[in-house]
Amino acid sequence: MGRLVRIARIFAVGLRFGLYEFIPRFSYNRLFISKTKPRGQRLREALETLGPIFVKFGQVLSTRRDLLPLDIADELAKLQDQVPPFPSELAVLEIERSLGRPIHELFDSFEQLPVASASIAQVHLAVLHDGREVAVKVLRPRVEQAIARDLALMETAAGLVERLWIDGRRLKPRQVVAEFAHHLDEELDLMREAANASQLRRNFKGSALLVVPEMHWDFCSQRVMVMERMHGTPISQVEKLREKGIDIPALARAGVEVCFTQVFRDGFFHADMHPGNILVADDGKYVALDFGIMGTLTEADKNYLARNFLAFFNRDYRRVAQAHLDAGWVPAGTRVDEFESAIRGVCEPIFARPLKEIYFGRLLLRLFQTARRFNMEVQPQLVLLQKTLLNIEGLGRELDPDLDLWSTAKPYLERWMNEQIGWRGLARAIRQEAPFWAATLPQLPRLVHRMLTEDRLGGVREALERAAAESARRNDLLAAYLTVLTAALVVVALFLF
């Protein structure tokens, strides 16, 4: 009964906001569709009305700009994950149950009023008994059940869209819902988030650009996470930052360097870098928060990116096309010249502009959209990378409208590519393989001796001897056949003449 009530409410909200416009057979029915608001805005408001899980779904959906019309993706990107907090008494009960001790034994003081509330969890401030200030993140009560219920409905709806809408299969709604479920699964495990934060903190240890809070592991569980309290100004409050003497253009450039360092040096990057997750300390350093969604890149991904960026800088579009084919992301039968032509159509109009007018994130977006026309399978890690670059570019231009992301990032990327594919890359590979070589080289004489004594080529030699004998036998049969044929011809000639 509860599921039926939920379906009825979703249906009612859809009618209220005119979401039937997205169903082709109703899309031209002017009698039903309200024209007072754009379709993207109505979709965003409907998701906000349906509750926090649907808001989170809209946020994840907004990252799939390779699948959505741009007007809808831009509107969904405006979703703010701000929901009413749940009662503090329930938060205290959850903390005590998860950590196994009363709240007064865990903290010297605990603020009942949360400082932040989101769809999955909320945050309270506290002080440990040793005087250290901390932030306590706790999951909402029964959030797993609520998510499972709504995910089941989303999966059902996605299946219907694929079957009933002619473009539904191409848009892969079930794949989008599965991706959303994966993100939620990661965010529902606060131990995993704490581990992500710890890794990022280790990667930027001693950095002059980025600070990551320390995790207090003795106070962490799957549903509760206690970390160092961070002080700073929200990055969206630009005027307040100026009043504190922060160099805003330098801050914007530092943000680009932080982003590209995470992506290209470490292959481990914060994939949810919206303004609500970033503070600026009084000394001008970035402060990262909320580590539920992180992206990773393999060495193969890095190699693909290195080849593509190098080709982009040189406007060698054939190499860009060939890199996609070599990576196996475009079907093997794709014509390189056609793919090259499509990529040139995307890039040339962009490179014809001044550098400061080139939007790097949009370039990647258009490339992904073009590649999709050639049946490219969009890689999830590259979708997160695209989202990250769009976020950092938008944030950087908000701080400094004259920010030239291309020229700011290009020296860093060129240096990184030289380290990846030049002699520095070779030296790094040798250093990485040195322990293996050190363990293997002393064993080589013994391995060679064993191979020789075991006569592993004996089987091959026997096979060759059998083949030679068979060939000789066939040659003898052929010679006998030719002899008989010659004799027959001679007899026939004597008989005729």
mmCIF file of all heavy atoms in Angstrom, residues 363-404:
data_model
loop_
_atom_site.group_PDB
_atom_site.id
_atom_site.type_symbol
_atom_site.label_atom_id
_atom_site.label_comp_id
_atom_site.label_asym_id
_atom_site.label_seq_id
_atom_site.Cartn_x
_atom_site.Cartn_y
_atom_site.Cartn_z
ATOM 1 N N LEU A 363 34.295 22.123 -23.979
ATOM 2 C CA LEU A 363 34.977 21.414 -25.061
ATOM 3 C C LEU A 363 34.895 19.909 -24.836
ATOM 4 O O LEU A 363 34.553 19.151 -25.752
ATOM 5 C CB LEU A 363 36.439 21.866 -25.130
ATOM 6 C CG LEU A 363 37.347 21.081 -26.081
ATOM 7 C CD1 LEU A 363 36.849 21.189 -27.506
ATOM 8 C CD2 LEU A 363 38.781 21.559 -25.974
ATOM 9 N N LEU A 364 35.213 19.459 -23.623
ATOM 10 C CA LEU A 364 35.108 18.030 -23.324
ATOM 11 C C LEU A 364 33.675 17.541 -23.488
ATOM 12 O O LEU A 364 33.434 16.437 -23.986
ATOM 13 C CB LEU A 364 35.594 17.762 -21.897
ATOM 14 C CG LEU A 364 37.106 17.766 -21.670
ATOM 15 C CD1 LEU A 364 37.404 17.421 -20.224
ATOM 16 C CD2 LEU A 364 37.810 16.809 -22.597
ATOM 17 N N LEU A 365 32.717 18.356 -23.045
ATOM 18 C CA LEU A 365 31.315 17.979 -23.162
ATOM 19 C C LEU A 365 30.938 17.748 -24.622
ATOM 20 O O LEU A 365 30.344 16.725 -24.978
ATOM 21 C CB LEU A 365 30.435 19.072 -22.557
ATOM 22 C CG LEU A 365 28.934 18.979 -22.831
ATOM 23 C CD1 LEU A 365 28.373 17.679 -22.273
ATOM 24 C CD2 LEU A 365 28.214 20.186 -22.245
ATOM 25 N N ARG A 366 31.286 18.672 -25.489
ATOM 26 C CA ARG A 366 30.933 18.535 -26.908
ATOM 27 C C ARG A 366 31.663 17.358 -27.545
ATOM 28 O O ARG A 366 31.129 16.684 -28.420
ATOM 29 C CB ARG A 366 31.249 19.829 -27.656
ATOM 30 C CG ARG A 366 30.366 21.005 -27.244
ATOM 31 C CD ARG A 366 30.505 22.155 -28.204
ATOM 32 N NE ARG A 366 30.092 21.776 -29.553
ATOM 33 C CZ ARG A 366 30.283 22.542 -30.632
ATOM 34 N NH1 ARG A 366 30.872 23.718 -30.488
ATOM 35 N NH2 ARG A 366 29.887 22.146 -31.814
ATOM 36 N N LEU A 367 32.878 17.096 -27.097
ATOM 37 C CA LEU A 367 33.601 15.942 -27.620
ATOM 38 C C LEU A 367 32.906 14.643 -27.225
ATOM 39 O O LEU A 367 32.779 13.719 -28.023
ATOM 40 C CB LEU A 367 35.044 15.947 -27.108
ATOM 41 C CG LEU A 367 35.991 16.924 -27.807
ATOM 42 C CD1 LEU A 367 37.314 16.982 -27.076
ATOM 43 C CD2 LEU A 367 36.197 16.510 -29.256
ATOM 44 N N PHE A 368 32.451 14.562 -25.958
ATOM 45 C CA PHE A 368 31.739 13.372 -25.513
ATOM 46 C C PHE A 368 30.445 13.198 -26.303
ATOM 47 O O PHE A 368 30.073 12.083 -26.680
ATOM 48 C CB PHE A 368 31.438 13.456 -24.019
ATOM 49 C CG PHE A 368 32.638 13.211 -23.147
ATOM 50 C CD1 PHE A 368 32.594 13.506 -21.801
ATOM 51 C CD2 PHE A 368 33.803 12.683 -23.668
ATOM 52 C CE1 PHE A 368 33.693 13.282 -20.991
ATOM 53 C CE2 PHE A 368 34.911 12.452 -22.873
ATOM 54 C CZ PHE A 368 34.861 12.756 -21.528
ATOM 55 N N GLN A 369 29.736 14.310 -26.534
ATOM 56 C CA GLN A 369 28.491 14.221 -27.283
ATOM 57 C C GLN A 369 28.750 13.762 -28.720
ATOM 58 O O GLN A 369 27.998 12.964 -29.284
ATOM 59 C CB GLN A 369 27.790 15.576 -27.282
ATOM 60 C CG GLN A 369 27.234 15.975 -25.910
ATOM 61 C CD GLN A 369 26.692 17.388 -25.897
ATOM 62 O OE1 GLN A 369 27.172 18.254 -26.622
ATOM 63 N NE2 GLN A 369 25.696 17.629 -25.073
ATOM 64 N N THR A 370 29.831 14.274 -29.331
ATOM 65 C CA THR A 370 30.182 13.859 -30.687
ATOM 66 C C THR A 370 30.565 12.390 -30.719
ATOM 67 O O THR A 370 30.123 11.627 -31.598
ATOM 68 C CB THR A 370 31.347 14.716 -31.217
ATOM 69 O OG1 THR A 370 30.942 16.094 -31.235
ATOM 70 C CG2 THR A 370 31.746 14.282 -32.617
ATOM 71 N N ALA A 371 31.388 11.985 -29.753
ATOM 72 C CA ALA A 371 31.812 10.583 -29.703
ATOM 73 C C ALA A 371 30.628 9.659 -29.512
ATOM 74 O O ALA A 371 30.617 8.531 -30.020
ATOM 75 C CB ALA A 371 32.833 10.390 -28.583
ATOM 76 N N ARG A 372 29.621 10.123 -28.793
ATOM 77 C CA ARG A 372 28.447 9.283 -28.563
ATOM 78 C C ARG A 372 27.697 9.014 -29.870
ATOM 79 O O ARG A 372 27.086 7.966 -30.032
ATOM 80 C CB ARG A 372 27.533 9.940 -27.531
ATOM 81 C CG ARG A 372 26.478 8.970 -27.009
ATOM 82 C CD ARG A 372 25.782 9.504 -25.780
ATOM 83 N NE ARG A 372 24.929 8.486 -25.202
ATOM 84 C CZ ARG A 372 25.355 7.537 -24.400
ATOM 85 N NH1 ARG A 372 26.625 7.478 -24.064
ATOM 86 N NH2 ARG A 372 24.528 6.638 -23.911
ATOM 87 N N ARG A 373 27.747 9.962 -30.807
ATOM 88 C CA ARG A 373 27.122 9.727 -32.102
ATOM 89 C C ARG A 373 27.784 8.569 -32.835
ATOM 90 O O ARG A 373 27.179 7.947 -33.703
ATOM 91 C CB ARG A 373 27.205 10.986 -32.979
ATOM 92 C CG ARG A 373 26.442 12.167 -32.428
ATOM 93 C CD ARG A 373 25.988 13.102 -33.543
ATOM 94 N NE ARG A 373 26.932 13.236 -34.618
ATOM 95 C CZ ARG A 373 27.774 14.245 -34.754
ATOM 96 N NH1 ARG A 373 27.827 15.192 -33.835
ATOM 97 N NH2 ARG A 373 28.584 14.303 -35.791
ATOM 98 N N PHE A 374 29.037 8.292 -32.482
ATOM 99 C CA PHE A 374 29.762 7.175 -33.080
ATOM 100 C C PHE A 374 29.738 5.948 -32.167
ATOM 101 O O PHE A 374 30.618 5.097 -32.225
ATOM 102 C CB PHE A 374 31.208 7.593 -33.358
ATOM 103 C CG PHE A 374 31.340 8.555 -34.502
ATOM 104 C CD1 PHE A 374 31.127 9.917 -34.313
ATOM 105 C CD2 PHE A 374 31.664 8.107 -35.771
ATOM 106 C CE1 PHE A 374 31.248 10.814 -35.368
ATOM 107 C CE2 PHE A 374 31.789 8.993 -36.828
ATOM 108 C CZ PHE A 374 31.571 10.346 -36.627
ATOM 109 N N ASN A 375 28.704 5.904 -31.287
ATOM 110 C CA ASN A 375 28.485 4.762 -30.390
ATOM 111 C C ASN A 375 29.614 4.575 -29.381
ATOM 112 O O ASN A 375 29.938 3.455 -28.987
ATOM 113 C CB ASN A 375 28.305 3.465 -31.192
ATOM 114 C CG ASN A 375 27.067 3.510 -32.066
ATOM 115 O OD1 ASN A 375 26.013 3.971 -31.631
ATOM 116 N ND2 ASN A 375 27.197 3.068 -33.299
ATOM 117 N N MET A 376 30.233 5.682 -28.975
ATOM 118 C CA MET A 376 31.244 5.583 -27.928
ATOM 119 C C MET A 376 30.571 5.246 -26.606
ATOM 120 O O MET A 376 29.552 5.820 -26.245
ATOM 121 C CB MET A 376 31.992 6.906 -27.785
ATOM 122 C CG MET A 376 32.935 6.950 -26.587
ATOM 123 S SD MET A 376 33.797 8.531 -26.428
ATOM 124 C CE MET A 376 34.572 8.331 -24.812
ATOM 125 N N GLU A 377 31.161 4.296 -25.883
ATOM 126 C CA GLU A 377 30.688 3.977 -24.546
ATOM 127 C C GLU A 377 31.332 4.970 -23.582
ATOM 128 O O GLU A 377 32.545 4.939 -23.361
ATOM 129 C CB GLU A 377 31.074 2.544 -24.161
ATOM 130 C CG GLU A 377 30.316 1.481 -24.939
ATOM 131 C CD GLU A 377 28.828 1.480 -24.607
ATOM 132 O OE1 GLU A 377 28.478 1.823 -23.474
ATOM 133 O OE2 GLU A 377 28.025 1.122 -25.494
ATOM 134 N N VAL A 378 30.524 5.849 -23.011
ATOM 135 C CA VAL A 378 31.055 6.875 -22.107
ATOM 136 C C VAL A 378 31.529 6.207 -20.828
ATOM 137 O O VAL A 378 30.789 5.483 -20.176
ATOM 138 C CB VAL A 378 29.999 7.945 -21.794
ATOM 139 C CG1 VAL A 378 30.541 8.953 -20.803
ATOM 140 C CG2 VAL A 378 29.578 8.640 -23.084
ATOM 141 N N GLN A 379 32.780 6.443 -20.462
ATOM 142 C CA GLN A 379 33.358 5.837 -19.279
ATOM 143 C C GLN A 379 32.934 6.610 -18.023
ATOM 144 O O GLN A 379 33.044 7.841 -17.985
ATOM 145 C CB GLN A 379 34.882 5.842 -19.383
ATOM 146 C CG GLN A 379 35.402 5.198 -20.658
ATOM 147 C CD GLN A 379 35.070 3.731 -20.728
ATOM 148 O OE1 GLN A 379 35.373 2.977 -19.818
ATOM 149 N NE2 GLN A 379 34.437 3.325 -21.815
ATOM 150 N N PRO A 380 32.469 5.911 -16.976
ATOM 151 C CA PRO A 380 32.013 6.620 -15.768
ATOM 152 C C PRO A 380 33.072 7.529 -15.167
ATOM 153 O O PRO A 380 32.768 8.633 -14.717
ATOM 154 C CB PRO A 380 31.651 5.474 -14.813
ATOM 155 C CG PRO A 380 31.345 4.315 -15.696
ATOM 156 C CD PRO A 380 32.258 4.461 -16.882
ATOM 157 N N GLN A 381 34.335 7.086 -15.169
ATOM 158 C CA GLN A 381 35.377 7.910 -14.561
ATOM 159 C C GLN A 381 35.602 9.193 -15.344
ATOM 160 O O GLN A 381 35.935 10.234 -14.762
ATOM 161 C CB GLN A 381 36.689 7.118 -14.429
ATOM 162 C CG GLN A 381 37.411 6.838 -15.741
ATOM 163 C CD GLN A 381 36.899 5.599 -16.433
ATOM 164 O OE1 GLN A 381 35.788 5.172 -16.196
ATOM 165 N NE2 GLN A 381 37.715 5.004 -17.291
ATOM 166 N N LEU A 382 35.375 9.141 -16.678
ATOM 167 C CA LEU A 382 35.527 10.352 -17.477
ATOM 168 C C LEU A 382 34.326 11.266 -17.325
ATOM 169 O O LEU A 382 34.444 12.485 -17.473
ATOM 170 C CB LEU A 382 35.748 9.995 -18.945
ATOM 171 C CG LEU A 382 37.041 9.239 -19.256
ATOM 172 C CD1 LEU A 382 37.221 9.088 -20.752
ATOM 173 C CD2 LEU A 382 38.243 9.936 -18.644
ATOM 174 N N VAL A 383 33.147 10.697 -17.034
ATOM 175 C CA VAL A 383 31.981 11.530 -16.747
ATOM 176 C C VAL A 383 32.224 12.315 -15.458
ATOM 177 O O VAL A 383 31.929 13.514 -15.379
ATOM 178 C CB VAL A 383 30.710 10.660 -16.629
ATOM 179 C CG1 VAL A 383 29.536 11.499 -16.132
ATOM 180 C CG2 VAL A 383 30.365 10.049 -17.978
ATOM 181 N N LEU A 384 32.778 11.660 -14.435
ATOM 182 C CA LEU A 384 33.114 12.364 -13.195
ATOM 183 C C LEU A 384 34.180 13.425 -13.446
ATOM 184 O O LEU A 384 34.137 14.515 -12.870
ATOM 185 C CB LEU A 384 33.599 11.375 -12.141
ATOM 186 C CG LEU A 384 32.531 10.505 -11.471
ATOM 187 C CD1 LEU A 384 33.179 9.519 -10.509
ATOM 188 C CD2 LEU A 384 31.511 11.360 -10.733
ATOM 189 N N LEU A 385 35.148 13.110 -14.304
ATOM 190 C CA LEU A 385 36.181 14.092 -14.637
ATOM 191 C C LEU A 385 35.565 15.286 -15.345
ATOM 192 O O LEU A 385 35.903 16.440 -15.054
ATOM 193 C CB LEU A 385 37.247 13.438 -15.522
ATOM 194 C CG LEU A 385 38.325 14.371 -16.074
ATOM 195 C CD1 LEU A 385 39.088 15.044 -14.943
ATOM 196 C CD2 LEU A 385 39.275 13.608 -16.980
ATOM 197 N N GLN A 386 34.666 15.023 -16.283
ATOM 198 C CA GLN A 386 33.982 16.119 -16.977
ATOM 199 C C GLN A 386 33.236 16.995 -15.983
ATOM 200 O O GLN A 386 33.313 18.228 -16.040
ATOM 201 C CB GLN A 386 33.014 15.542 -17.998
ATOM 202 C CG GLN A 386 32.075 16.569 -18.625
ATOM 203 C CD GLN A 386 30.850 15.908 -19.231
ATOM 204 O OE1 GLN A 386 30.967 14.914 -19.937
ATOM 205 N NE2 GLN A 386 29.684 16.441 -18.953
ATOM 206 N N LYS A 387 32.511 16.352 -15.055
ATOM 207 C CA LYS A 387 31.770 17.103 -14.041
ATOM 208 C C LYS A 387 32.720 17.954 -13.209
ATOM 209 O O LYS A 387 32.450 19.132 -12.918
ATOM 210 C CB LYS A 387 31.006 16.135 -13.144
ATOM 211 C CG LYS A 387 30.356 16.798 -11.936
ATOM 212 C CD LYS A 387 29.904 15.771 -10.930
ATOM 213 C CE LYS A 387 29.408 16.458 -9.653
ATOM 214 N NZ LYS A 387 29.107 15.497 -8.591
ATOM 215 N N THR A 388 33.856 17.388 -12.825
ATOM 216 C CA THR A 388 34.821 18.113 -12.003
ATOM 217 C C THR A 388 35.378 19.319 -12.747
ATOM 218 O O THR A 388 35.497 20.420 -12.182
ATOM 219 C CB THR A 388 35.961 17.171 -11.584
ATOM 220 O OG1 THR A 388 35.415 16.090 -10.824
ATOM 221 C CG2 THR A 388 36.999 17.903 -10.743
ATOM 222 N N LEU A 389 35.731 19.127 -14.018
ATOM 223 C CA LEU A 389 36.274 20.237 -14.797
ATOM 224 C C LEU A 389 35.231 21.330 -15.009
ATOM 225 O O LEU A 389 35.555 22.528 -14.968
ATOM 226 C CB LEU A 389 36.789 19.724 -16.139
ATOM 227 C CG LEU A 389 38.031 18.832 -16.065
ATOM 228 C CD1 LEU A 389 38.379 18.295 -17.448
ATOM 229 C CD2 LEU A 389 39.209 19.594 -15.484
ATOM 230 N N LEU A 390 33.977 20.941 -15.232
ATOM 231 C CA LEU A 390 32.913 21.935 -15.369
ATOM 232 C C LEU A 390 32.743 22.714 -14.069
ATOM 233 O O LEU A 390 32.586 23.942 -14.079
ATOM 234 C CB LEU A 390 31.608 21.258 -15.758
ATOM 235 C CG LEU A 390 31.495 20.780 -17.214
ATOM 236 C CD1 LEU A 390 30.274 19.894 -17.380
ATOM 237 C CD2 LEU A 390 31.424 21.968 -18.158
ATOM 238 N N ASN A 391 32.778 21.996 -12.938
ATOM 239 C CA ASN A 391 32.625 22.661 -11.647
ATOM 240 C C ASN A 391 33.755 23.644 -11.384
ATOM 241 O O ASN A 391 33.536 24.784 -10.976
ATOM 242 C CB ASN A 391 32.573 21.623 -10.521
ATOM 243 C CG ASN A 391 31.229 20.943 -10.416
ATOM 244 O OD1 ASN A 391 30.239 21.422 -10.964
ATOM 245 N ND2 ASN A 391 31.178 19.823 -9.729
ATOM 246 N N ILE A 392 34.997 23.190 -11.607
ATOM 247 C CA ILE A 392 36.143 24.039 -11.285
ATOM 248 C C ILE A 392 36.229 25.223 -12.238
ATOM 249 O O ILE A 392 36.610 26.325 -11.862
ATOM 250 C CB ILE A 392 37.451 23.220 -11.296
ATOM 251 C CG1 ILE A 392 38.558 23.982 -10.564
ATOM 252 C CG2 ILE A 392 37.896 22.874 -12.690
ATOM 253 C CD1 ILE A 392 38.322 24.168 -9.101
ATOM 254 N N GLU A 393 35.836 25.006 -13.501
ATOM 255 C CA GLU A 393 35.857 26.108 -14.452
ATOM 256 C C GLU A 393 34.782 27.138 -14.095
ATOM 257 O O GLU A 393 35.040 28.345 -14.098
ATOM 258 C CB GLU A 393 35.643 25.592 -15.861
ATOM 259 C CG GLU A 393 35.762 26.676 -16.919
ATOM 260 C CD GLU A 393 35.782 26.088 -18.313
ATOM 261 O OE1 GLU A 393 34.914 25.250 -18.619
ATOM 262 O OE2 GLU A 393 36.664 26.467 -19.094
ATOM 263 N N GLY A 394 33.571 26.656 -13.765
ATOM 264 C CA GLY A 394 32.510 27.583 -13.381
ATOM 265 C C GLY A 394 32.863 28.344 -12.115
ATOM 266 O O GLY A 394 32.629 29.555 -12.016
ATOM 267 N N LEU A 395 33.457 27.630 -11.144
ATOM 268 C CA LEU A 395 33.855 28.281 -9.899
ATOM 269 C C LEU A 395 34.960 29.297 -10.148
ATOM 270 O O LEU A 395 34.930 30.415 -9.623
ATOM 271 C CB LEU A 395 34.331 27.211 -8.911
ATOM 272 C CG LEU A 395 34.790 27.696 -7.542
ATOM 273 C CD1 LEU A 395 33.651 28.387 -6.811
ATOM 274 C CD2 LEU A 395 35.307 26.516 -6.719
ATOM 275 N N GLY A 396 35.921 28.920 -10.981
ATOM 276 C CA GLY A 396 37.030 29.825 -11.267
ATOM 277 C C GLY A 396 36.582 31.085 -11.972
ATOM 278 O O GLY A 396 37.019 32.192 -11.637
ATOM 279 N N ARG A 397 35.674 30.967 -12.919
ATOM 280 C CA ARG A 397 35.201 32.152 -13.647
ATOM 281 C C ARG A 397 34.273 33.003 -12.790
ATOM 282 O O ARG A 397 34.153 34.194 -13.001
ATOM 283 C CB ARG A 397 34.513 31.729 -14.947
ATOM 284 C CG ARG A 397 35.476 31.157 -15.973
ATOM 285 C CD ARG A 397 34.768 30.834 -17.276
ATOM 286 N NE ARG A 397 35.637 30.141 -18.208
ATOM 287 C CZ ARG A 397 36.420 30.736 -19.100
ATOM 288 N NH1 ARG A 397 36.441 32.047 -19.177
ATOM 289 N NH2 ARG A 397 37.174 30.014 -19.914
ATOM 290 N N GLU A 398 33.620 32.352 -11.798
ATOM 291 C CA GLU A 398 32.820 33.139 -10.862
ATOM 292 C C GLU A 398 33.718 33.994 -9.984
ATOM 293 O O GLU A 398 33.389 35.146 -9.669
ATOM 294 C CB GLU A 398 31.968 32.206 -10.003
ATOM 295 C CG GLU A 398 31.035 32.934 -9.047
ATOM 296 C CD GLU A 398 30.160 31.980 -8.254
ATOM 297 O OE1 GLU A 398 30.008 30.820 -8.674
ATOM 298 O OE2 GLU A 398 29.631 32.399 -7.218
ATOM 299 N N LEU A 399 34.860 33.434 -9.602
ATOM 300 C CA LEU A 399 35.822 34.210 -8.817
ATOM 301 C C LEU A 399 36.497 35.274 -9.672
ATOM 302 O O LEU A 399 36.668 36.419 -9.245
ATOM 303 C CB LEU A 399 36.887 33.277 -8.225
ATOM 304 C CG LEU A 399 36.423 32.294 -7.150
ATOM 305 C CD1 LEU A 399 37.546 31.323 -6.811
ATOM 306 C CD2 LEU A 399 35.963 33.030 -5.901
ATOM 307 N N ASP A 400 36.910 34.894 -10.870
ATOM 308 C CA ASP A 400 37.635 35.796 -11.760
ATOM 309 C C ASP A 400 37.096 35.628 -13.178
ATOM 310 O O ASP A 400 37.464 34.682 -13.875
ATOM 311 C CB ASP A 400 39.131 35.480 -11.711
ATOM 312 C CG ASP A 400 39.941 36.391 -12.626
ATOM 313 O OD1 ASP A 400 39.378 37.412 -13.099
ATOM 314 O OD2 ASP A 400 41.128 36.103 -12.864
ATOM 315 N N PRO A 401 36.202 36.531 -13.630
ATOM 316 C CA PRO A 401 35.606 36.399 -14.968
ATOM 317 C C PRO A 401 36.639 36.340 -16.084
ATOM 318 O O PRO A 401 36.352 35.823 -17.164
ATOM 319 C CB PRO A 401 34.722 37.644 -15.092
ATOM 320 C CG PRO A 401 34.424 38.044 -13.685
ATOM 321 C CD PRO A 401 35.656 37.702 -12.905
ATOM 322 N N ASP A 402 37.829 36.876 -15.858
ATOM 323 C CA ASP A 402 38.872 36.864 -16.883
ATOM 324 C C ASP A 402 39.762 35.634 -16.807
ATOM 325 O O ASP A 402 40.769 35.549 -17.517
ATOM 326 C CB ASP A 402 39.741 38.122 -16.772
ATOM 327 C CG ASP A 402 38.962 39.386 -17.105
ATOM 328 O OD1 ASP A 402 38.080 39.307 -17.981
ATOM 329 O OD2 ASP A 402 39.225 40.434 -16.485
ATOM 330 N N LEU A 403 39.415 34.674 -15.945
ATOM 331 C CA LEU A 403 40.238 33.478 -15.809
ATOM 332 C C LEU A 403 40.312 32.747 -17.147
ATOM 333 O O LEU A 403 39.301 32.472 -17.779
ATOM 334 C CB LEU A 403 39.657 32.542 -14.747
ATOM 335 C CG LEU A 403 40.363 31.192 -14.614
ATOM 336 C CD1 LEU A 403 41.762 31.376 -14.050
ATOM 337 C CD2 LEU A 403 39.554 30.236 -13.747
ATOM 338 N N ASP A 404 41.518 32.447 -17.558
ATOM 339 C CA ASP A 404 41.766 31.692 -18.776
ATOM 340 C C ASP A 404 42.207 30.290 -18.357
ATOM 341 O O ASP A 404 43.376 30.038 -18.100
ATOM 342 C CB ASP A 404 42.859 32.389 -19.600
ATOM 343 C CG ASP A 404 43.167 31.645 -20.892
ATOM 344 O OD1 ASP A 404 42.600 30.563 -21.099
ATOM 345 O OD2 ASP A 404 43.989 32.151 -21.674
#
